[in-house]
Amino acid sequence: MAHYIGQELEKRFGKRFGADTRAHWSHDPATHLIIFVHGFGGSPVKTWPQFPTLVTQKTPLPSFDYIFYGYDGVRMQANSSALAFASALDDFLADPAAIINQTIPSMSQRAPFSYQRILVVAHSLGAVVTRGALLHAHARRESGVSVPWLDHVRLALFAPAHHGAYTAKIAYSALTSEGWSLGGLLSFFSASQLPLLDDLQPGSTIITELKDRTKTLIDQYKAQGQPVPPFLRADAVVWALKDTVVVNSRFFEDDPEVPIDSGHLGVCKPDRPDHKALEVVWKLL
Amino acid sequence: MEAVVTVSPQLLQANLESLDLRFRDQSTNDGMKFLRTAHDARAAIVLDSHLLRAPSGDAFDIRGDVDMAMRYYCILELASLVGAIPDPLPAALADETRATLSRAAVRRYYERYYPLLLPQFLLRRLNGQPLRVDFEGDGMSLLSRFIDVSSLREGDNAEMFLDFLDDITINDYGLGDVIRILQNGREFVHSMTTKKLNEGDQGVRGFVDFLGFSRELNTFLRQMKSADLLRSAFFHFHGYWFQQIGGQVLGAITAGVETLRTYVTDGADDDVIAKEIADTHKAMDTAIRDLQVLTSSAYRYPLELQLYDFTPR
């Protein structure tokens, strides 16, 4: 399956679709979309180095576009990032062709369409941001706004931080790898400079709200005799067996975990086609 | 193994358009137009060495556009090397590019004052002497990954740091301010976290971004097995900057990293934290090592060998 060279959406659209977000559009009209969401201190390019090359190597697969969504995973509060992500999803998915056609060759312009499936692949803090964004989208729908794309979302979470993280450790782990120069300087930071350090503490307001809102909604669906929708329950959760950063524990109705023998950061960095992380993504396409 | 192109002509044309969408913005087009149409005397002035003639405000802006145009020619050559775009290039683009790159003032600019090898190989290609490289894998995927890695160098902050490296000061801020801030942990953290950035803060963030970019680039290049010439060609897309930071500047950057190292605590009771501290030191060592490799001739040499006559006389 062939994709065009990645386009930097920020250069054309400003921050409408996140910061430093990269989009790889399929040569053929796509029915599926994968959105990768990085974690604390990560980036759209550095968190998923081999994924773009490896994920396209299996056949047959449905035709898909993929986006590496970017946000400030160091300085911005998780809730603010979740709101911005929800807004970006709403904006893009309302009319994907209108955006895509501005960044692909004229000979390949697409007619208006909707994706049949939107697979969000999130790592670490990205899981908190993603779940928060989907809850915002649901709240908008409850208020009467049409959010048709929400029913097409599936979740694959890698080393998710939705139960919180051992904050100093996540900072060390993420920063030593993604921005090593900050790793040893934690003592200089105040909470106001790095609000995420507080956000990700188990039992923090953010984590508690995320759990409470999810549980309340799940209970509502169950009380009405309806199945729990996929945007509330991850179809795949990958735990890093050597993870010392996040709290590994099942999140309500999520599918049973897939263990991968790696650390917190390595879990989303497949380096060969038979890596379990790729299998997880392929299975959900 | 020779690169095997199995994609259709339509796909190659689509790839070229895709590259244009990514790399031919207004500034690039303005630069290409200047290089193509400026009168000889005007071109000679604007494209003169900044050491011989400081560019006027107008020329300074045009030079920015010209560098974008050069970047486009570099990526055209790389895309041609990996077989991702039509070979030969569409006639109109080929004729225009050949005419532009053949102009005396333009050649002086990219061959002598600010040496870039890829436009030189592009001109050779357009004159019927294309460079051929051996590599394994899908050229388009390789190019796409390289472009993503390269974009890490192109953020506003990294550009600011690179301007500082190029002896440029902006609002009185320059490389010295970056080094000064790196020498103070609190100032460094302030620069990395403040929402009101001045040029010095941007330079510091650019320094960090540039180190991250260097690491990713070195990883990318190392992973290209048995493809010395192509690896060298990819390196030369950024080669100018790594030549700029060789020697004294590399020493200053290394001093900055070593200064930061003094803020890393020596150890911890918690095994995990202790490991992370050890990893921090290791990452710092790796960062310096990456820069040493990238500023050495390791990647630079193979393509230079193709271009220059090294035969002893």
Side-chain angles (χ1 to χ4, degrees):
Chain A
M1 182 187 309
H3 289 82
Y4 291 113
I5 288 163
Q7 297 290 332
E8 297 170 285
L9 297 188
E10 188 176 344
K11 283 193 174 166
R12 189 169 293 257
F13 302 104
K15 304 274 188 195
R16 265 174 77 184
F17 304 110
D20 213 19
T21 296
R22 312 297 159 103
H24 296 251
W25 311 123
S26 167
H27 283 169
D28 306 315
T31 55
H32 289 48
L33 171 68
I34 311 177
I35 305 176
F36 294 89
V37 186
H38 64 77
F40 189 91
S43 88
V45 174
K46 290 191 277 185
T47 297
W48 320 91
Q50 303 266 26
F51 243 115
T53 307
L54 293 171
V55 80
T56 56
Q57 287 188 5
K58 187 182 173 78
T59 52
L61 283 176
S63 176
F64 64 89
D65 297 321
Y66 57 98
I67 291 175
F68 294 93
Y69 179 77
Y71 63 99
D72 184 345
V74 176
R75 288 170 281 268
M76 189 176 278
Q77 288 187 40
N79 248 344
S80 305
S81 296
L83 258 177
F85 186 35
S87 168
L89 287 170
D90 238 358
D91 193 356
F92 174 67
L93 294 169
D95 187 2
I99 305 303
I100 294 171
N101 285 343
Q102 295 181 56
T103 54
I104 60 173
S106 53
M107 68 181 79
S108 308
Q109 297 287 293
R110 297 189 193 173
F113 75 102
S114 299
Y115 291 105
Q116 293 169 21
R117 176 160 295 187
I118 299 149
L119 175 59
V120 184
V121 180
H123 176 242
S124 188
L125 168 68
V128 177
V129 171
T130 298
R131 284 194 186 276
L134 297 177
L135 288 173
H136 283 301
H138 179 268
R140 274 169 56 76
R141 184 154 75 178
E142 289 291 287
S143 71
V145 178
S146 172
V147 190
W149 56 266
L150 190 56
D151 298 319
H152 301 283
V153 168
R154 297 288 184 281
L155 290 174
L157 307 178
F158 288 78
H162 47 210
H163 284 294
Y166 306 106
T167 49
K169 293 176 186 174
I170 197 172
Y172 268 113
S173 182
L175 294 174
T176 51
S177 172
E178 300 289 344
W180 56 269
S181 54
L182 294 176
L185 298 168
L186 286 177
S187 59
F188 289 104
F189 288 102
S190 65
S192 64
Q193 285 173 314
L194 280 186
L196 283 168
L197 292 182
D198 281 345
D199 281 359
L200 285 175
Q201 295 226 33
S204 71
T205 306
I206 300 293
I207 296 297
T208 304
E209 273 185 10
L210 187 69
K211 288 182 180 177
D212 288 349
R213 290 173 67 192
T214 304
K215 184 168 187 322
T216 302
L217 279 178
I218 288 175
D219 288 345
Q220 280 176 13
Y221 278 100
K222 283 183 171 176
Q224 293 163 9
Q226 295 177 13
V228 177
F231 75 86
L232 286 175
R233 52 173 300 277
D235 280 309
V237 178
V238 177
W239 285 357
L241 289 178
K242 293 175 185 162
D243 204 324
T244 53
V245 177
V246 297
V247 181
N248 278 341
S249 176
R250 190 169 299 173
F251 196 85
F252 303 112
E253 301 287 318
D254 285 359
D255 259 25
E257 324 51 57
V258 177
I260 289 186
D261 186 21
S262 82
H264 182 71
L265 290 164
V267 71
C268 61
K269 291 180 170 51
D271 54 2
R272 54 185 196 280
D274 62 345
H275 196 280
K276 272 188 187 175
L278 289 165
E279 287 296 330
V280 164
V281 172
W282 284 329
K283 208 177 277 185
L284 290 175
L285 279 177
Chain B
M1 185 173 65
E2 188 76 13
V4 179
V5 179
T6 55
V7 287
S8 68
Q10 290 81 5
L11 214 52
L12 295 174
Q13 180 59 33
N15 284 341
L16 179 58
E17 278 198 46
S18 180
L19 274 181
D20 283 356
L21 282 163
R22 174 82 181 244
F23 287 94
R24 279 189 75 166
D25 59 10
Q26 189 58 49
S27 173
T28 306
N29 284 329
D30 289 347
M32 291 168 74
K33 185 178 176 188
F34 175 84
L35 292 175
R36 190 175 70 248
T37 62
H39 294 303
D40 288 344
R42 172 81 171 140
I45 290 171
V46 171
L47 299 177
D48 208 353
S49 164
H50 75 283
L51 297 172
L52 300 175
R53 186 201 315 261
S56 64
D58 180 34
F60 189 82
D61 291 341
I62 296 172
R63 291 270 286 254
D65 296 336
V66 164
D67 288 342
M68 295 298 282
M70 286 297 162
R71 185 182 73 138
Y72 177 68
Y73 295 135
C74 289
I75 206 73
L76 275 188
E77 175 59 15
L78 287 177
S80 298
L81 274 176
V82 299
I85 58 176
D87 181 19
L89 287 170
L93 176 63
D95 292 346
E96 182 186 307
T97 304
R98 186 186 303 107
T100 298
L101 291 179
S102 299
R103 295 189 67 184
V106 180
R107 287 188 76 150
R108 200 158 47 236
Y109 185 80
Y110 70 79
E111 285 183 356
R112 297 183 183 178
Y113 292 155
Y114 306 97
L116 295 170
L117 269 64
L118 294 174
Q120 298 181 53
F121 280 103
L122 179 60
L123 182 57
R124 284 187 176 194
R125 178 179 300 278
L126 296 169
N127 285 329
Q129 297 174 300
L131 179 67
R132 302 285 184 200
V133 294
D134 293 338
F135 69 100
E136 293 176 7
D138 170 21
M140 191 61 192
S141 294
L142 205 57
L143 182 68
S144 194
R145 175 70 190 143
F146 174 74
I147 288 170
D148 276 346
V149 169
S150 298
S151 66
L152 295 172
R153 201 208 78 193
E154 293 168 358
D156 291 345
N157 296 333
E159 293 287 355
M160 180 77 73
F161 176 65
L162 293 174
D163 279 348
F164 289 168
L165 285 185
D166 229 3
D167 289 336
I168 294 170
T169 56
I170 300 169
N171 285 341
D172 291 334
Y173 285 97
L175 186 62
D177 296 285
V178 174
I179 302 292
R180 176 181 55 76
I181 291 169
L182 290 176
Q183 289 171 345
N184 183 309
R186 284 191 192 283
E187 277 196 56
F188 175 69
V189 168
H190 173 81
S191 289
M192 293 301 292
T193 56
T194 183
K195 288 177 180 165
K196 290 182 182 174
L197 291 174
N198 61 34
E199 287 77 2
D201 301 322
Q202 274 190 276
V204 169
R205 288 191 190 184
F207 160 78
V208 172
D209 289 349
F210 189 78
L211 289 180
F213 154 70
S214 299
R215 189 183 58 179
E216 294 295 324
L217 178 64
N218 197 30
T219 301
F220 172 84
L221 294 173
R222 264 188 325 185
Q223 285 171 345
M224 290 179 60
K225 293 171 186 144
S226 313
D228 287 353
L229 201 51
L230 182 60
R231 177 169 34 224
S232 185
F234 277 126
F235 167 81
H236 274 278
F237 188 76
H238 301 288
Y240 174 80
W241 293 111
F242 287 109
Q243 281 186 286
Q244 288 294 92
I245 65 170
Q248 219 172 0
V249 179
L250 176 62
I253 290 175
T254 304
V257 175
E258 292 302 336
T259 303
L260 289 176
R261 195 193 294 274
T262 63
Y263 299 115
V264 180
T265 46
D266 289 333
D269 295 335
D270 184 316
D271 285 347
V272 173
I273 297 290
K275 180 182 178 305
E276 300 299 350
I277 290 171
D279 285 349
T280 300
H281 284 293
K282 196 174 157 191
M284 289 176 161
D285 293 339
T286 303
I288 293 171
R289 180 78 181 155
D290 284 340
L291 280 179
Q292 285 173 329
V293 171
L294 289 164
T295 55
S296 77
S297 58
Y299 297 137
R300 205 171 67 219
Y301 176 73
L303 199 65
E304 289 178 339
L305 187 60
Q306 291 287 317
L307 188 67
Y308 303 123
D309 180 6
F310 285 179
T311 312
R313 299 190 195 283

